[in-house]
Amino acid sequence: MGNIKIGMIGLDTSHAVAFTKLLNDPNNPFHVTGGQVMIACPVGSLDFELSYSRINGITKEVEQYGVQIVQTIEEVAEQCDAILVESVDGRVHLEQLQKMVMFNKPIFIDKPFCLCSSDAAEMVKLSEKYNTPIMSSSALRFAEALSRSLTIQDKGNIIGADCFGPMEMVETQPGYFWYGIHTIEMLYAILGRGAKNVQTVSNQDYDLIISQWEDGRIGTARGNRKGNHNFGAVIHYENGNEYVVIDSSSKPYYASLLEQIILFFSEGKQSVPVTETQEIIRFIEAANDSKVTGKQIWI
């Protein structure tokens, strides 16, 4: 594709600004080459304060990087080579995909992909019907420290993992779909697909999600609403352990994610298969159910 002309849907999240800076500013120390954000539509959700309150400010910031602002999703899809869906509200992603999938442009949908398994299934069905590739991911799974740890060769196979991170919640994005998804995506980056059940322990300040994989491995995702807000993990190998501290003061994990997105846009390489994303959505649904019932939920 050469220098990909990227369209952006949704200017109601800090990700929209971060991605535009990294792609459009060649003087940025972590500049990502291969594409530029050229056109954007500032849609948002009027019943979600964290969406509508940010649109004006983020739109102005994005415009400073030479991005054309238009009023409809269709205008963006018509005039670009590939699309970033950055709308912060996961409830609207299916509806947005329905408006652009027939343009046959590769589409990256920022986290959360959606907020229920039925929407996820419909989105995949649309992708297949129109032969339009889609991909979704949290940036945390591509953090450099985690990626380095997953290349370790001398400790044997990975036999389990305990991940942790902040776990704020908002009313419109149920339970762990808002911030818990970051820690859960890290867990999947380490263990891969195959979780078979989930059980959640939760109180006002902390959460612990425990899951057993089909091969017997156990993974956990711990979340804090009080105390530290650090991301990290302990990876358990057959012959040792690795403590992973996610530190964005070196290379931002947004830059690492964008590198994967550009590969997806240019070569069709899905570093996170959509089938894995579907399982993550079901995992979060199950964790949310267990948070309410206290029971172990099968995935």
Side-chain angles (χ1 to χ4, degrees):
M1 270 191 180
N3 198 51
I4 302 165
K5 184 178 180 180
I6 298 171
M8 185 176 284
I9 306 298
L11 300 179
D12 56 356
T13 169
S14 60
H15 293 194
V17 176
F19 287 1
T20 303
K21 286 180 178 179
L22 287 164
L23 289 165
N24 289 28
D25 181 5
N27 296 316
N28 189 297
F30 300 103
H31 175 56
V32 177
T33 61
Q36 283 185 289
V37 181
M38 304 298 290
I39 187 168
C41 177
V43 290
S45 300
L46 296 179
D47 64 343
F48 187 11
E49 195 271 340
L50 283 171
S51 171
Y52 68 75
S53 67
R54 297 193 284 184
I55 295 173
N56 287 340
I58 289 172
T59 300
K60 289 176 183 176
E61 283 194 75
V62 166
E63 276 187 296
Q64 292 175 4
Y65 291 89
V67 178
Q68 178 189 359
I69 305 299
V70 297
Q71 296 307 308
T72 69
I73 290 171
E74 291 84 354
E75 286 177 274
V76 172
E78 285 173 356
Q79 299 180 52
C80 69
D81 301 320
I83 303 166
L84 291 170
V85 175
E86 293 303 317
S87 295
V88 76
D89 184 354
R91 295 174 299 174
V92 304
H93 288 169
L94 170 57
E95 180 184 352
Q96 291 176 342
L97 183 63
Q98 289 168 335
K99 293 180 179 180
M100 65 182 103
V101 68
M102 68 287 299
F103 290 91
N104 302 117
K105 312 288 176 69
I107 301 169
F108 174 80
I109 301 169
D110 211 338
K111 69 85 196 169
F113 183 59
C114 58
L115 302 183
C116 62
S117 292
S118 58
D119 276 11
E122 182 62 26
M123 292 164 77
V124 172
K125 189 183 297 183
L126 284 167
S127 169
E128 293 171 347
K129 177 181 178 180
Y130 289 96
N131 197 28
T132 296
I134 58 176
M135 175 180 150
S136 182
S137 176
S138 160
L140 269 297
R141 71 156 61 217
F142 297 113
E144 274 199 313
L146 181 56
S147 297
R148 280 196 304 269
S149 296
L150 295 177
T151 65
I152 289 174
Q153 302 278 327
D154 60 354
K155 293 185 179 181
N157 295 324
I158 293 172
I159 59 173
D162 301 301
C163 299
F164 56 87
M167 211 165 275
E168 288 88 353
M169 297 184 179
V170 297
E171 188 174 337
T172 62
Q173 316 293 298
Y176 305 115
F177 281 108
W178 178 244
Y179 235 76
I181 191 170
H182 290 305
T183 305
I184 291 165
E185 286 241 8
M186 289 167 56
L187 186 60
Y188 267 81
I190 298 166
L191 297 183
R193 293 177 58 195
K196 71 175 184 177
N197 57 49
V198 171
Q199 187 157 12
T200 303
V201 179
S202 176
N203 61 34
Q204 182 177 342
D205 300 321
Y206 312 109
D207 300 82
L208 181 63
I209 303 167
I210 306 161
S211 180
Q212 184 172 338
W213 261 245
E214 292 169 354
D215 59 9
R217 294 179 299 167
I218 293 173
T220 67
R222 176 186 171 87
N224 301 325
R225 280 174 294 283
K226 181 179 180 182
N228 80 76
H229 284 71
N230 300 325
F231 283 106
V234 179
I235 304 175
H236 307 289
Y237 300 84
E238 291 174 309
N239 302 312
N241 305 285
E242 185 76 10
Y243 180 49
V244 181
V245 179
I246 306 298
D247 181 7
S248 62
S249 64
S250 52
K251 181 180 180 180
Y253 34 76
Y254 290 146
S256 299
L257 171 59
L258 279 173
E259 289 169 353
Q260 298 300 316
I261 292 171
I262 292 296
L263 277 175
F264 167 59
F265 285 165
S266 60
E267 302 178 21
K269 293 181 179 178
Q270 286 181 318
S271 50
V272 184
V274 72
T275 49
E276 182 169 318
T277 298
Q278 279 189 278
E279 183 176 313
I280 289 169
I281 298 303
R282 176 57 195 142
F283 183 104
I284 296 172
E285 276 184 327
N288 285 347
D289 288 346
S290 181
K291 177 180 169 67
V292 174
T293 65
K295 297 178 180 179
Q296 186 180 81
I297 306 295
W298 289 83
I299 295 175

